[in-house]
Amino acid sequence: MTVSPVYHVSSTSTGGGRDSEVVSESGRIDLVLAPPVEMGGNGDGSNPEELFSAGWAACFMGALRLMAKNKGATLTDETAVKVTVGIGKDDADGGFGLTADIDVYLPGLETAAAAELAQAAHGFCPYSKATRGNIAATVTSRV
């Protein structure tokens, strides 16, 4: 795959890994990070999985809107994409791995059309493409 970037962004993490701060070059993101309680932390900050799920949801929504436009489908203001990212032990290598569940809510569409649109967005979304084959991801559409 050859990509010709039209935009670049940088963020820097300082501190102790999951107990740290992350700041984007633009300054629009300036967050304290903390491991979630489920991973032994105090949960008093964001975490990489939360940031990843937010970025993926926004990216997927953009892909969904473009696919809808290309297919002549109309999306309502209630259309929503929820990406749930999980982290846990990777049984294959003893490290950690990620999972993702992508829930696409497409009110006003027929069930088959919603499923087709969600799959088309999953095929087009840069986050989905970047993780394909690396993260167990499921896409569910509902109307």
Side-chain angles (χ1 to χ4, degrees), residues 7 48 52 54 64 68 134 139:
Y7 172 72
F52 188 49
L64 186 66
N134 299 306
V139 178

mmCIF file of all heavy atoms in Angstrom, residues 7 48 52 54 64 68 134 139:
data_model
loop_
_atom_site.group_PDB
_atom_site.id
_atom_site.type_symbol
_atom_site.label_atom_id
_atom_site.label_comp_id
_atom_site.label_asym_id
_atom_site.label_seq_id
_atom_site.Cartn_x
_atom_site.Cartn_y
_atom_site.Cartn_z
ATOM 1 N N TYR A 7 -1.967 15.149 5.736
ATOM 2 C CA TYR A 7 -1.999 15.701 7.088
ATOM 3 C C TYR A 7 -1.134 14.830 7.983
ATOM 4 O O TYR A 7 -1.137 13.609 7.851
ATOM 5 C CB TYR A 7 -3.447 15.723 7.606
ATOM 6 C CG TYR A 7 -3.604 16.091 9.059
ATOM 7 C CD1 TYR A 7 -3.405 17.394 9.491
ATOM 8 C CD2 TYR A 7 -3.955 15.135 10.002
ATOM 9 C CE1 TYR A 7 -3.553 17.731 10.825
ATOM 10 C CE2 TYR A 7 -4.115 15.453 11.332
ATOM 11 C CZ TYR A 7 -3.921 16.765 11.741
ATOM 12 O OH TYR A 7 -4.066 17.113 13.075
ATOM 13 N N PRO A 48 -4.798 4.570 26.690
ATOM 14 C CA PRO A 48 -4.632 4.398 25.248
ATOM 15 C C PRO A 48 -5.835 3.753 24.564
ATOM 16 O O PRO A 48 -6.190 4.130 23.448
ATOM 17 C CB PRO A 48 -3.384 3.515 25.128
ATOM 18 C CG PRO A 48 -2.598 3.821 26.361
ATOM 19 C CD PRO A 48 -3.636 4.029 27.432
ATOM 20 N N PHE A 52 -7.967 5.311 21.535
ATOM 21 C CA PHE A 52 -8.055 4.535 20.297
ATOM 22 C C PHE A 52 -9.515 4.336 19.893
ATOM 23 O O PHE A 52 -9.876 4.492 18.720
ATOM 24 C CB PHE A 52 -7.327 3.207 20.487
ATOM 25 C CG PHE A 52 -7.178 2.384 19.244
ATOM 26 C CD1 PHE A 52 -6.709 2.939 18.062
ATOM 27 C CD2 PHE A 52 -7.479 1.037 19.265
ATOM 28 C CE1 PHE A 52 -6.553 2.172 16.914
ATOM 29 C CE2 PHE A 52 -7.326 0.256 18.128
ATOM 30 C CZ PHE A 52 -6.868 0.823 16.948
ATOM 31 N N ALA A 54 -12.068 6.209 20.625
ATOM 32 C CA ALA A 54 -12.627 7.493 20.194
ATOM 33 C C ALA A 54 -12.202 7.829 18.772
ATOM 34 O O ALA A 54 -13.015 8.230 17.931
ATOM 35 C CB ALA A 54 -12.194 8.604 21.156
ATOM 36 N N LEU A 64 -18.486 5.934 7.082
ATOM 37 C CA LEU A 64 -19.898 5.581 6.949
ATOM 38 C C LEU A 64 -20.657 6.663 6.176
ATOM 39 O O LEU A 64 -21.440 6.365 5.269
ATOM 40 C CB LEU A 64 -20.500 5.394 8.346
ATOM 41 C CG LEU A 64 -21.927 4.886 8.426
ATOM 42 C CD1 LEU A 64 -22.019 3.461 7.898
ATOM 43 C CD2 LEU A 64 -22.409 4.955 9.874
ATOM 44 N N ALA A 68 -22.422 6.120 2.593
ATOM 45 C CA ALA A 68 -23.848 6.419 2.445
ATOM 46 C C ALA A 68 -24.063 7.374 1.276
ATOM 47 O O ALA A 68 -24.963 7.171 0.446
ATOM 48 C CB ALA A 68 -24.399 7.022 3.737
ATOM 49 N N ASN A 134 -4.920 -7.853 12.542
ATOM 50 C CA ASN A 134 -4.122 -7.656 13.756
ATOM 51 C C ASN A 134 -4.970 -7.579 15.025
ATOM 52 O O ASN A 134 -4.454 -7.810 16.112
ATOM 53 C CB ASN A 134 -3.303 -6.364 13.648
ATOM 54 C CG ASN A 134 -2.340 -6.406 12.501
ATOM 55 O OD1 ASN A 134 -1.548 -7.324 12.393
ATOM 56 N ND2 ASN A 134 -2.418 -5.422 11.629
ATOM 57 N N VAL A 139 -18.180 -6.237 13.445
ATOM 58 C CA VAL A 139 -19.012 -5.111 13.052
ATOM 59 C C VAL A 139 -20.467 -5.572 13.124
ATOM 60 O O VAL A 139 -20.833 -6.572 12.512
ATOM 61 C CB VAL A 139 -18.698 -4.620 11.630
ATOM 62 C CG1 VAL A 139 -19.625 -3.475 11.227
ATOM 63 C CG2 VAL A 139 -17.250 -4.203 11.522
#
